[in-house]
């Protein structure tokens, strides 16, 4: 008998509202993996100690969420290819004695989106320029998107994402200012909302987008996972659009993370059902 169980987990602040532990442990149990996932609240000043502790205790890997996705990089031994381009990490993988930073946010979004539409050769309008938006933009570009328009209120942050796309990927990228209500261009194939507007507890909020400019041939995706059916997605469905919710992205990035740690391809439906039970 072996009572030394492989450990994984998450470092964040705040951590109490992070449902990742529920879906990861459901996957472990479903696939007969006697592993554990520990949700830990870690203050920014304690991040270095937390990483050193995980290293010393032989953790197989861990997630980093807000506010640690950039700060954790200095405590790691290397970065995966897309994480290096994005400049942020959300998944840390043990490789022998080394801790390698990966970013599964964008890849999870692409995987969820592909269940409805392949981003290859598509024209995309992306709202937001924060860490999540940056990850989504890079992975969409690496997946072959023809053109990405980054819409953001801060021109500096929006143009910074565009510069990364232009300098590190083959996609066409432009910045569009978000001043007042934004009208989505008619030639758009995919609309992606990647800001925090609409996140619990502000569930009645909706990004300042002219929903009348959405057309049935557009796919609308929202990165908000709590609640999964945001006001933006409801409006898009009323306009006849196909939609992708943030719960799908959360599940798919978890699938990728567990694969990194355990080598097992877990069932995403098991993870999604574990989250649905929580009634987020």
């Amino acid at each position: 008998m072996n009572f030394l169980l492989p450990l994984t987990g998450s470092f964040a602040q705040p951590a109490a509202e992070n449902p990742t532990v529920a879906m990861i442990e459901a996957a472990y149990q479903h696939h007969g993996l006697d592993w554990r996932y520990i949700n830990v609240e870690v203050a920014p000043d304690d991040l270095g100690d937390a990483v050193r502790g995980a290293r010393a205790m032989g953790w197989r890997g861990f997630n980093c969420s807000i506010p640690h996705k950039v700060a954790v990089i200095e405590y790691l031994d290397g970065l995966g290819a897309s994480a290096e381009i994005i400049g942020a990490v959300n998944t840390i993988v043990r490789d022998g004695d080394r801790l390698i930073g990966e970013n599964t946010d964008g890849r999870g979004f692409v995987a969820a989106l592909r269940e409805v539409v392949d981003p290859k050769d598509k024209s995309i309008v992306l709202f937001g320029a924060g860490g999540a938006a940056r990850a989504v933009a890079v992975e969409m570009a690496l997946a072959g998107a023809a053109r990405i328009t980054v819409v953001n209120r801060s021109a500096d942050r929006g143009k910074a994402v565009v510069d990364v796309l232009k300098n590190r990927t083959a996609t066409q990228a432009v910045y569009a200012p978000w001043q007042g209500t934004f009208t989505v261009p008619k030639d758009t194939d995919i609309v992606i909302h990647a800001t925090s507007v609409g996140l619990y507890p502000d569930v009645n909020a909706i990004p300042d987008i002219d929903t009348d400019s959405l057309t049935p041939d557009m796919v609308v995706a929202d990165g908000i996972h709590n609640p999964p059916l945001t006001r933006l997605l409801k409006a898009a469905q009323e306009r006849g659009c196909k939609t992708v919710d943030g719960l799908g992205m959360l599940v798919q990035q978890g699938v990728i993370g567990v694969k990194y740690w355990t080598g097992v391809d877990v069932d995403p439906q098991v993870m999604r059902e574990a989250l649905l039970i929580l009634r987020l």
Side-chain angles (χ1 to χ4, degrees):
M1 300 180 71
N2 183 1
F3 296 102
L4 184 62
L5 305 181
L7 297 179
T8 56
S10 175
F11 298 159
Q13 187 181 58
E17 295 179 357
N18 185 353
T20 302
V21 58
M23 71 173 190
I24 297 292
E25 293 235 322
Y28 287 165
Q29 182 177 2
H30 177 79
H31 290 278
L33 296 168
D34 203 6
W35 289 49
R36 295 293 179 269
Y37 188 95
I38 303 169
N39 194 25
V40 184
E41 179 134 343
V42 176
D45 290 345
D46 297 325
L47 180 60
D49 289 337
V51 175
R52 285 185 286 271
R55 189 190 295 271
M57 289 185 286
W59 282 36
R60 302 296 181 89
F62 54 94
N63 293 126
C64 269
S65 191
I66 296 173
H68 305 314
K69 292 186 179 184
V70 175
V72 73
I73 291 174
E74 69 173 286
Y75 305 111
L76 305 179
D77 303 303
L79 298 177
S82 63
E84 192 273 328
I85 296 174
I86 295 164
V89 164
N90 78 322
T91 302
I92 290 81
V93 184
R94 179 178 287 273
D95 180 15
D97 293 331
R98 304 173 72 231
L99 293 180
I100 305 299
E102 301 283 355
N103 195 308
T104 66
D105 280 338
R107 270 178 286 173
F109 203 104
V110 171
L113 186 68
R114 277 186 172 140
E115 295 181 0
V116 176
V117 62
D118 190 333
K120 183 176 175 58
D121 298 327
K122 298 298 191 295
S123 177
I124 296 171
V125 172
L126 171 68
F127 292 90
R134 190 184 184 101
V136 169
V138 168
E139 295 295 349
M140 287 291 166
L142 295 177
R147 177 184 174 90
I148 299 176
T149 301
V150 178
V151 184
N152 198 60
R153 298 194 186 283
S154 166
D156 288 344
R157 295 185 72 183
K159 290 177 181 177
V161 175
V162 168
D163 287 343
V164 169
L165 296 177
K166 285 184 174 179
N167 296 331
R168 304 298 298 273
T169 77
T171 195
Q172 296 180 32
V174 296
Y175 166 72
W178 197 354
Q179 298 171 346
T181 304
F182 189 89
T183 299
V184 178
K186 293 181 180 179
D187 61 352
T188 301
D189 298 306
I190 302 171
V191 177
I192 299 173
H193 173 238
T195 82
S196 61
V197 176
L199 181 66
Y200 179 87
D202 197 11
V203 297
N204 290 319
I206 185 170
D208 198 1
I209 300 170
D210 178 10
T211 56
D212 286 340
S213 66
L214 301 175
T215 61
D217 55 345
M218 296 178 185
V219 174
V220 179
D222 198 334
I224 299 296
H225 67 271
N226 185 7
L229 187 57
T230 61
R231 282 190 63 196
L232 174 62
L233 292 187
K234 290 178 183 177
Q237 290 174 358
E238 289 172 359
R239 295 285 299 168
C241 303
K242 293 181 179 179
T243 60
V244 180
D245 64 38
L247 212 59
M249 184 194 75
L250 183 63
V251 167
Q252 291 295 339
Q253 64 90 8
V255 169
I256 298 167
V258 174
K259 175 71 171 182
Y260 271 129
W261 299 330
T262 70
V264 174
D265 292 304
V266 297
D267 184 347
Q269 190 59 34
V270 169
M271 301 172 79
R272 187 177 180 92
E273 288 175 359
L275 294 175
L276 291 174
I277 288 172
L278 301 178
R279 297 182 179 274
L280 296 174

Short mmCIF file of all heavy atoms in Angstrom, two decimals, residues 82-136:
data_model
loop_
_atom_site.label_atom_id
_atom_site.label_comp_id
_atom_site.label_asym_id
_atom_site.label_seq_id
_atom_site.Cartn_x
_atom_site.Cartn_y
_atom_site.Cartn_z
N SER A 82 4.04 28.72 -25.99
CA SER A 82 2.99 29.74 -26.01
C SER A 82 3.02 30.59 -24.75
O SER A 82 2.73 31.79 -24.81
CB SER A 82 1.61 29.10 -26.19
OG SER A 82 1.28 28.25 -25.12
N ALA A 83 3.38 30.01 -23.62
CA ALA A 83 3.49 30.79 -22.38
C ALA A 83 4.55 31.87 -22.52
O ALA A 83 4.39 32.99 -22.01
CB ALA A 83 3.80 29.87 -21.20
N GLU A 84 5.61 31.56 -23.23
CA GLU A 84 6.69 32.54 -23.43
C GLU A 84 6.19 33.70 -24.28
O GLU A 84 6.51 34.86 -24.02
CB GLU A 84 7.88 31.84 -24.09
CG GLU A 84 9.17 32.67 -24.08
CD GLU A 84 9.27 33.60 -25.27
OE1 GLU A 84 8.76 33.23 -26.35
OE2 GLU A 84 9.83 34.71 -25.13
N ILE A 85 5.37 33.40 -25.30
CA ILE A 85 4.82 34.46 -26.15
C ILE A 85 3.80 35.29 -25.36
O ILE A 85 3.81 36.52 -25.42
CB ILE A 85 4.15 33.85 -27.40
CG1 ILE A 85 5.19 33.14 -28.27
CG2 ILE A 85 3.45 34.95 -28.21
CD1 ILE A 85 4.58 32.38 -29.44
N ILE A 86 2.93 34.61 -24.64
CA ILE A 86 1.87 35.28 -23.88
C ILE A 86 2.45 36.12 -22.75
O ILE A 86 1.96 37.21 -22.44
CB ILE A 86 0.87 34.25 -23.34
CG1 ILE A 86 0.15 33.55 -24.50
CG2 ILE A 86 -0.15 34.89 -22.39
CD1 ILE A 86 -0.57 32.28 -24.11
N GLY A 87 3.50 35.61 -22.11
CA GLY A 87 4.11 36.31 -20.99
C GLY A 87 3.38 36.09 -19.69
O GLY A 87 3.48 36.89 -18.75
N ALA A 88 2.61 35.00 -19.61
CA ALA A 88 1.87 34.66 -18.40
C ALA A 88 1.72 33.15 -18.33
O ALA A 88 1.74 32.46 -19.35
CB ALA A 88 0.50 35.34 -18.39
N VAL A 89 1.54 32.65 -17.10
CA VAL A 89 1.49 31.21 -16.84
C VAL A 89 0.28 30.91 -15.97
O VAL A 89 -0.02 31.66 -15.04
CB VAL A 89 2.77 30.76 -16.11
CG1 VAL A 89 2.61 29.39 -15.49
CG2 VAL A 89 3.96 30.78 -17.05
N ASN A 90 -0.44 29.83 -16.28
CA ASN A 90 -1.51 29.41 -15.37
C ASN A 90 -1.37 27.96 -14.93
O ASN A 90 -2.09 27.51 -14.04
CB ASN A 90 -2.89 29.63 -16.01
CG ASN A 90 -3.24 28.56 -17.02
OD1 ASN A 90 -2.38 28.10 -17.77
ND2 ASN A 90 -4.50 28.16 -17.05
N THR A 91 -0.44 27.22 -15.55
CA THR A 91 -0.24 25.82 -15.22
C THR A 91 1.24 25.53 -15.12
O THR A 91 2.00 25.83 -16.06
CB THR A 91 -0.87 24.90 -16.29
OG1 THR A 91 -2.27 25.19 -16.39
CG2 THR A 91 -0.69 23.44 -15.94
N ILE A 92 1.64 24.96 -13.99
CA ILE A 92 3.05 24.62 -13.78
C ILE A 92 3.18 23.11 -13.77
O ILE A 92 2.39 22.41 -13.12
CB ILE A 92 3.58 25.22 -12.46
CG1 ILE A 92 3.70 26.76 -12.59
CG2 ILE A 92 4.94 24.64 -12.11
CD1 ILE A 92 2.43 27.52 -12.41
N VAL A 93 4.16 22.61 -14.50
CA VAL A 93 4.34 21.18 -14.69
C VAL A 93 5.73 20.77 -14.19
O VAL A 93 6.72 21.42 -14.55
CB VAL A 93 4.21 20.80 -16.17
CG1 VAL A 93 4.31 19.29 -16.36
CG2 VAL A 93 2.90 21.34 -16.75
N ARG A 94 5.79 19.71 -13.37
CA ARG A 94 7.09 19.20 -12.92
C ARG A 94 7.69 18.33 -14.00
O ARG A 94 7.06 17.39 -14.49
CB ARG A 94 6.95 18.41 -11.62
CG ARG A 94 8.29 17.85 -11.11
CD ARG A 94 8.12 17.11 -9.81
NE ARG A 94 7.91 18.02 -8.70
CZ ARG A 94 8.88 18.60 -7.98
NH1 ARG A 94 10.14 18.36 -8.29
NH2 ARG A 94 8.59 19.40 -7.00
N ASP A 95 8.92 18.64 -14.39
CA ASP A 95 9.68 17.86 -15.36
C ASP A 95 10.99 17.46 -14.70
O ASP A 95 11.96 18.22 -14.76
CB ASP A 95 9.91 18.67 -16.62
CG ASP A 95 10.70 17.91 -17.68
OD1 ASP A 95 10.84 16.68 -17.56
OD2 ASP A 95 11.19 18.55 -18.63
N GLY A 96 11.01 16.30 -14.05
CA GLY A 96 12.17 15.92 -13.26
C GLY A 96 12.31 16.86 -12.07
O GLY A 96 11.39 16.97 -11.25
N ASP A 97 13.41 17.56 -12.00
CA ASP A 97 13.61 18.53 -10.92
C ASP A 97 13.22 19.95 -11.33
O ASP A 97 13.36 20.89 -10.54
CB ASP A 97 15.08 18.53 -10.48
CG ASP A 97 15.48 17.22 -9.81
OD1 ASP A 97 14.61 16.59 -9.20
OD2 ASP A 97 16.67 16.84 -9.92
N ARG A 98 12.74 20.11 -12.54
CA ARG A 98 12.43 21.44 -13.07
C ARG A 98 10.94 21.70 -13.02
O ARG A 98 10.12 20.79 -13.16
CB ARG A 98 12.94 21.58 -14.51
CG ARG A 98 14.42 21.29 -14.67
CD ARG A 98 14.83 21.26 -16.13
NE ARG A 98 14.83 22.61 -16.69
CZ ARG A 98 14.21 22.95 -17.82
NH1 ARG A 98 13.50 22.06 -18.48
NH2 ARG A 98 14.28 24.20 -18.27
N LEU A 99 10.58 22.97 -12.81
CA LEU A 99 9.19 23.42 -12.88
C LEU A 99 9.04 24.27 -14.13
O LEU A 99 9.69 25.31 -14.28
CB LEU A 99 8.82 24.22 -11.63
CG LEU A 99 8.79 23.46 -10.31
CD1 LEU A 99 8.42 24.39 -9.17
CD2 LEU A 99 7.84 22.27 -10.37
N ILE A 100 8.16 23.83 -15.04
CA ILE A 100 7.98 24.49 -16.32
C ILE A 100 6.60 25.16 -16.36
O ILE A 100 5.59 24.54 -16.03
CB ILE A 100 8.09 23.49 -17.49
CG1 ILE A 100 9.42 22.73 -17.41
CG2 ILE A 100 7.95 24.21 -18.83
CD1 ILE A 100 10.65 23.62 -17.49
N GLY A 101 6.57 26.41 -16.76
CA GLY A 101 5.32 27.15 -16.84
C GLY A 101 4.65 27.02 -18.20
O GLY A 101 5.30 27.22 -19.23
N GLU A 102 3.38 26.66 -18.19
CA GLU A 102 2.58 26.58 -19.41
C GLU A 102 1.38 27.50 -19.26
O GLU A 102 1.05 27.94 -18.17
CB GLU A 102 2.10 25.14 -19.65
CG GLU A 102 3.20 24.11 -19.79
CD GLU A 102 3.88 24.15 -21.16
OE1 GLU A 102 3.41 24.92 -22.04
OE2 GLU A 102 4.85 23.41 -21.36
N ASN A 103 0.74 27.81 -20.38
CA ASN A 103 -0.50 28.59 -20.33
C ASN A 103 -1.58 27.84 -21.08
O ASN A 103 -1.48 27.68 -22.30
CB ASN A 103 -0.31 29.98 -20.92
CG ASN A 103 -1.45 30.91 -20.56
OD1 ASN A 103 -2.61 30.59 -20.76
ND2 ASN A 103 -1.12 32.07 -20.01
N THR A 104 -2.57 27.34 -20.35
CA THR A 104 -3.65 26.56 -20.97
C THR A 104 -4.93 27.37 -21.15
O THR A 104 -5.91 26.85 -21.68
CB THR A 104 -3.95 25.30 -20.13
OG1 THR A 104 -4.50 25.70 -18.86
CG2 THR A 104 -2.71 24.47 -19.90
N ASP A 105 -4.94 28.62 -20.70
CA ASP A 105 -6.15 29.45 -20.83
C ASP A 105 -6.59 29.57 -22.28
O ASP A 105 -7.74 29.29 -22.63
CB ASP A 105 -5.90 30.85 -20.26
CG ASP A 105 -5.99 30.90 -18.75
OD1 ASP A 105 -6.64 30.01 -18.16
OD2 ASP A 105 -5.42 31.82 -18.15
N GLY A 106 -5.67 30.01 -23.13
CA GLY A 106 -6.01 30.21 -24.53
C GLY A 106 -6.30 28.91 -25.25
O GLY A 106 -7.23 28.82 -26.05
N ARG A 107 -5.49 27.87 -24.96
CA ARG A 107 -5.72 26.59 -25.61
C ARG A 107 -7.05 25.97 -25.19
O ARG A 107 -7.73 25.33 -25.99
CB ARG A 107 -4.56 25.64 -25.30
CG ARG A 107 -3.43 25.73 -26.31
CD ARG A 107 -2.28 24.83 -25.94
NE ARG A 107 -1.52 25.36 -24.82
CZ ARG A 107 -0.55 24.70 -24.20
NH1 ARG A 107 -0.26 23.47 -24.57
NH2 ARG A 107 0.12 25.26 -23.22
N GLY A 108 -7.42 26.19 -23.92
CA GLY A 108 -8.72 25.71 -23.46
C GLY A 108 -9.84 26.42 -24.20
O GLY A 108 -10.84 25.80 -24.56
N PHE A 109 -9.67 27.71 -24.44
CA PHE A 109 -10.68 28.48 -25.16
C PHE A 109 -10.80 27.97 -26.60
O PHE A 109 -11.90 27.78 -27.12
CB PHE A 109 -10.32 29.96 -25.15
CG PHE A 109 -11.49 30.88 -25.35
CD1 PHE A 109 -12.02 31.57 -24.28
CD2 PHE A 109 -12.07 31.04 -26.59
CE1 PHE A 109 -13.12 32.42 -24.45
CE2 PHE A 109 -13.15 31.87 -26.78
CZ PHE A 109 -13.68 32.56 -25.71
N VAL A 110 -9.65 27.74 -27.25
CA VAL A 110 -9.65 27.25 -28.62
C VAL A 110 -10.33 25.88 -28.70
O VAL A 110 -11.14 25.62 -29.60
CB VAL A 110 -8.22 27.18 -29.19
CG1 VAL A 110 -8.21 26.46 -30.53
CG2 VAL A 110 -7.64 28.58 -29.35
N ALA A 111 -10.01 25.00 -27.74
CA ALA A 111 -10.61 23.67 -27.73
C ALA A 111 -12.12 23.73 -27.57
O ALA A 111 -12.87 23.02 -28.25
CB ALA A 111 -9.99 22.82 -26.62
N ALA A 112 -12.59 24.62 -26.67
CA ALA A 112 -14.03 24.77 -26.48
C ALA A 112 -14.68 25.36 -27.73
O ALA A 112 -15.76 24.94 -28.16
CB ALA A 112 -14.31 25.65 -25.27
N LEU A 113 -14.02 26.33 -28.34
CA LEU A 113 -14.56 26.98 -29.53
C LEU A 113 -14.66 25.99 -30.69
O LEU A 113 -15.63 26.01 -31.47
CB LEU A 113 -13.68 28.16 -29.92
CG LEU A 113 -14.18 29.06 -31.06
CD1 LEU A 113 -15.43 29.81 -30.64
CD2 LEU A 113 -13.09 30.03 -31.48
N ARG A 114 -13.66 25.12 -30.82
CA ARG A 114 -13.63 24.18 -31.94
C ARG A 114 -14.80 23.21 -31.92
O ARG A 114 -15.08 22.57 -32.94
CB ARG A 114 -12.31 23.42 -31.94
CG ARG A 114 -11.17 24.18 -32.61
CD ARG A 114 -9.93 23.36 -32.73
NE ARG A 114 -8.92 24.02 -33.55
CZ ARG A 114 -7.62 24.02 -33.28
NH1 ARG A 114 -7.17 23.37 -32.22
NH2 ARG A 114 -6.78 24.64 -34.07
N GLU A 115 -15.48 23.07 -30.79
CA GLU A 115 -16.66 22.23 -30.76
C GLU A 115 -17.80 22.85 -31.58
O GLU A 115 -18.77 22.18 -31.93
CB GLU A 115 -17.11 22.00 -29.31
CG GLU A 115 -16.09 21.21 -28.49
CD GLU A 115 -16.54 20.98 -27.07
OE1 GLU A 115 -17.66 21.42 -26.71
OE2 GLU A 115 -15.79 20.36 -26.30
N VAL A 116 -17.64 24.15 -31.87
CA VAL A 116 -18.66 24.86 -32.66
C VAL A 116 -18.09 25.35 -33.98
O VAL A 116 -18.74 25.26 -35.02
CB VAL A 116 -19.22 26.06 -31.85
CG1 VAL A 116 -20.19 26.88 -32.69
CG2 VAL A 116 -19.89 25.58 -30.58
N VAL A 117 -16.85 25.89 -33.96
CA VAL A 117 -16.26 26.45 -35.17
C VAL A 117 -14.73 26.41 -35.06
O VAL A 117 -14.18 26.61 -33.97
CB VAL A 117 -16.74 27.90 -35.41
CG1 VAL A 117 -16.32 28.81 -34.28
CG2 VAL A 117 -16.22 28.45 -36.74
N ASP A 118 -14.06 26.15 -36.16
CA ASP A 118 -12.60 26.17 -36.21
C ASP A 118 -12.16 27.61 -36.50
O ASP A 118 -12.61 28.21 -37.48
CB ASP A 118 -12.11 25.23 -37.31
CG ASP A 118 -10.60 25.01 -37.28
OD1 ASP A 118 -9.87 25.90 -36.80
OD2 ASP A 118 -10.15 23.95 -37.74
N PRO A 119 -11.28 28.17 -35.66
CA PRO A 119 -10.85 29.57 -35.89
C PRO A 119 -9.94 29.76 -37.09
O PRO A 119 -9.67 30.90 -37.48
CB PRO A 119 -10.13 29.92 -34.58
CG PRO A 119 -9.67 28.61 -34.03
CD PRO A 119 -10.72 27.61 -34.42
N LYS A 120 -9.47 28.69 -37.70
CA LYS A 120 -8.57 28.82 -38.84
C LYS A 120 -9.21 29.63 -39.96
O LYS A 120 -10.36 29.36 -40.37
CB LYS A 120 -8.16 27.44 -39.36
CG LYS A 120 -7.16 27.46 -40.52
CD LYS A 120 -6.75 26.06 -40.90
CE LYS A 120 -5.85 26.05 -42.13
NZ LYS A 120 -4.63 26.86 -41.93
N ASP A 121 -8.47 30.64 -40.42
CA ASP A 121 -8.88 31.50 -41.53
C ASP A 121 -10.08 32.39 -41.21
O ASP A 121 -10.67 32.98 -42.12
CB ASP A 121 -9.18 30.68 -42.80
CG ASP A 121 -7.97 29.91 -43.30
OD1 ASP A 121 -6.85 30.42 -43.15
OD2 ASP A 121 -8.16 28.79 -43.82
N LYS A 122 -10.43 32.51 -39.95
CA LYS A 122 -11.59 33.31 -39.56
C LYS A 122 -11.18 34.73 -39.16
O LYS A 122 -10.05 34.99 -38.74
CB LYS A 122 -12.33 32.65 -38.40
CG LYS A 122 -12.89 31.26 -38.71
CD LYS A 122 -13.92 31.30 -39.82
CE LYS A 122 -14.66 29.98 -39.96
NZ LYS A 122 -13.79 28.87 -40.40
N SER A 123 -12.17 35.64 -39.26
CA SER A 123 -12.00 37.02 -38.79
C SER A 123 -12.61 37.13 -37.40
O SER A 123 -13.79 36.82 -37.20
CB SER A 123 -12.69 37.98 -39.75
OG SER A 123 -12.60 39.31 -39.27
N ILE A 124 -11.80 37.57 -36.44
CA ILE A 124 -12.19 37.55 -35.03
C ILE A 124 -12.17 38.96 -34.45
O ILE A 124 -11.24 39.73 -34.69
CB ILE A 124 -11.24 36.64 -34.23
CG1 ILE A 124 -11.36 35.19 -34.72
CG2 ILE A 124 -11.52 36.72 -32.73
CD1 ILE A 124 -10.33 34.26 -34.15
N VAL A 125 -13.21 39.28 -33.67
CA VAL A 125 -13.22 40.50 -32.87
C VAL A 125 -13.11 40.08 -31.42
O VAL A 125 -13.96 39.33 -30.91
CB VAL A 125 -14.49 41.32 -33.10
CG1 VAL A 125 -14.57 42.48 -32.11
CG2 VAL A 125 -14.52 41.85 -34.54
N LEU A 126 -12.06 40.54 -30.74
CA LEU A 126 -11.77 40.16 -29.36
C LEU A 126 -11.90 41.37 -28.45
O LEU A 126 -11.21 42.38 -28.65
CB LEU A 126 -10.35 39.59 -29.27
CG LEU A 126 -9.78 39.33 -27.88
CD1 LEU A 126 -10.53 38.18 -27.20
CD2 LEU A 126 -8.29 39.01 -27.95
N PHE A 127 -12.78 41.28 -27.45
CA PHE A 127 -12.96 42.37 -26.49
C PHE A 127 -12.12 42.09 -25.25
O PHE A 127 -12.28 41.07 -24.59
CB PHE A 127 -14.44 42.50 -26.10
CG PHE A 127 -15.31 42.98 -27.22
CD1 PHE A 127 -15.92 42.09 -28.10
CD2 PHE A 127 -15.51 44.34 -27.43
CE1 PHE A 127 -16.71 42.53 -29.14
CE2 PHE A 127 -16.30 44.80 -28.48
CZ PHE A 127 -16.91 43.90 -29.33
N GLY A 128 -11.21 43.04 -24.94
CA GLY A 128 -10.36 42.91 -23.77
C GLY A 128 -8.90 42.79 -24.16
O GLY A 128 -8.56 42.40 -25.29
N ALA A 129 -8.03 43.16 -23.20
CA ALA A 129 -6.59 43.08 -23.45
C ALA A 129 -5.83 42.69 -22.18
O ALA A 129 -4.62 42.92 -22.09
CB ALA A 129 -6.07 44.42 -23.98
N GLY A 130 -6.54 42.10 -21.22
CA GLY A 130 -5.88 41.62 -20.00
C GLY A 130 -5.21 40.28 -20.23
O GLY A 130 -5.04 39.83 -21.37
N GLY A 131 -4.85 39.60 -19.12
CA GLY A 131 -4.12 38.35 -19.22
C GLY A 131 -4.88 37.28 -19.98
O GLY A 131 -4.32 36.59 -20.85
N ALA A 132 -6.17 37.12 -19.68
CA ALA A 132 -6.97 36.10 -20.35
C ALA A 132 -7.11 36.43 -21.83
O ALA A 132 -6.98 35.55 -22.70
CB ALA A 132 -8.34 35.98 -19.70
N ALA A 133 -7.40 37.69 -22.14
CA ALA A 133 -7.56 38.10 -23.54
C ALA A 133 -6.26 37.90 -24.32
O ALA A 133 -6.28 37.46 -25.48
CB ALA A 133 -7.99 39.56 -23.61
N ARG A 134 -5.16 38.21 -23.69
CA ARG A 134 -3.85 38.05 -24.34
C ARG A 134 -3.61 36.57 -24.68
O ARG A 134 -3.15 36.24 -25.78
CB ARG A 134 -2.76 38.58 -23.41
CG ARG A 134 -1.37 38.69 -24.02
CD ARG A 134 -0.39 39.14 -22.94
NE ARG A 134 0.93 39.37 -23.45
CZ ARG A 134 1.45 40.56 -23.71
NH1 ARG A 134 0.71 41.65 -23.53
NH2 ARG A 134 2.68 40.69 -24.16
N ALA A 135 -3.92 35.68 -23.72
CA ALA A 135 -3.74 34.25 -23.95
C ALA A 135 -4.63 33.76 -25.08
O ALA A 135 -4.20 33.00 -25.96
CB ALA A 135 -4.03 33.47 -22.67
N VAL A 136 -5.89 34.21 -25.08
CA VAL A 136 -6.83 33.80 -26.13
C VAL A 136 -6.36 34.32 -27.49
O VAL A 136 -6.39 33.59 -28.49
CB VAL A 136 -8.25 34.31 -25.81
CG1 VAL A 136 -9.16 34.14 -27.01
CG2 VAL A 136 -8.81 33.59 -24.60
#
